[in-house]
Amino acid sequence: MSGNNYNDDGWQPVTRLGRQVQEGEIDDMETALNSGLPLKEPELVDQLLPGLEDEVLDINMVQRMTDSGRRVKFRCVVTVGNRDGFVGYAEGRDDQVGSAIQKAIGIAKLNMIQVPRGSGSWEDRSDRPHSLTRRTTGKAGSVEVEVIPAPEGLGLAASDTVRAVLELAGIENAWTKSHGNTRTTVNLAKATFNALENASQSRQPRRNRGGREEPEVADQ
């Protein structure tokens, strides 16, 4: 794991969002994600999230037959995050392992999401955002991953791959369940990220006066 930084003094933004970040109009990642403008430059992510960490989850050699013969490339699965609510995921392919890793890191930064953290377990009374606000499920291929809020002190009841994604997202306590061909690291990692992605897109439930969650009503 390392803290990669694409940012340098020579960065010249080519997108509207990049210019707003460089000029200081947008100075935090949450505002950038809520701006409605697409992330197309990893440098702006470096500027808004300094010290971003990355972890390579899997490296695999893939072969493809072409008219000129057999082509061999490396596929790298990478997750990036700041351990404080922001995480990204991507796969990268290249002829060289190092190049595939760097490509995956750059793409993962462009796939950055903000994970809604809190203390969503009914057993928990903590005010610290150490877990998810509610349970969430993600899918990739035959793999399904469910992440369930857990009370503070439990830790992460998860496999190494799922744990790596959750840790970089800043999730410290959670139960997890996984189904399908979980030996396939790429689908397991992708399903975990998809679960966090679904959590980030869901609306918070309203609570009635008794403190119980009310069902969500579709917009008319």
Side-chain angles (χ1 to χ4, degrees), residues 55-61 75-79 89-91 139-145 159-165 178-194:
E55 183 161 340
V56 178
L57 303 176
D58 187 55
I59 299 175
N60 196 17
M61 187 171 63
R75 181 188 65 195
C76 296
V77 179
V78 169
T79 184
Y89 164 89
E91 303 167 38
K139 295 182 179 181
S142 68
V143 179
E144 180 175 325
V145 172
S159 66
D160 291 344
T161 298
V162 174
R163 177 189 297 271
V165 178
S178 57
H179 309 280
N181 186 13
T182 55
R183 293 184 179 180
T184 308
T185 302
V186 58
N187 281 345
L188 186 58
K190 188 184 296 184
T192 305
F193 180 73
N194 181 241

Side-chain angles (χ1 to χ4, degrees), residues 96-110:
Q96 302 295 324
V97 173
S99 299
I101 292 174
Q102 292 304 314
K103 184 178 293 185
I105 291 172
I107 298 172
K109 290 180 179 181
L110 303 184

Side-chain angles (χ1 to χ4, degrees), residues 74-144:
F74 294 94
R75 181 188 65 195
C76 296
V77 179
V78 169
T79 184
V80 300
N82 71 339
R83 298 181 182 269
D84 193 22
F86 292 96
V87 68
Y89 164 89
E91 303 167 38
R93 300 190 184 198
D94 205 281
D95 297 334
Q96 302 295 324
V97 173
S99 299
I101 292 174
Q102 292 304 314
K103 184 178 293 185
I105 291 172
I107 298 172
K109 290 180 179 181
L110 303 184
N111 291 334
M112 192 67 63
I113 61 172
Q114 182 176 18
V115 179
R117 297 181 303 154
S119 53
S121 172
W122 64 271
E123 302 177 74
D124 200 16
R125 295 295 181 270
S126 174
D127 294 327
R128 197 172 65 86
H130 62 86
S131 187
L132 290 173
T133 57
R134 61 167 64 186
R135 69 172 60 202
T136 181
T137 303
K139 295 182 179 181
S142 68
V143 179
E144 180 175 325

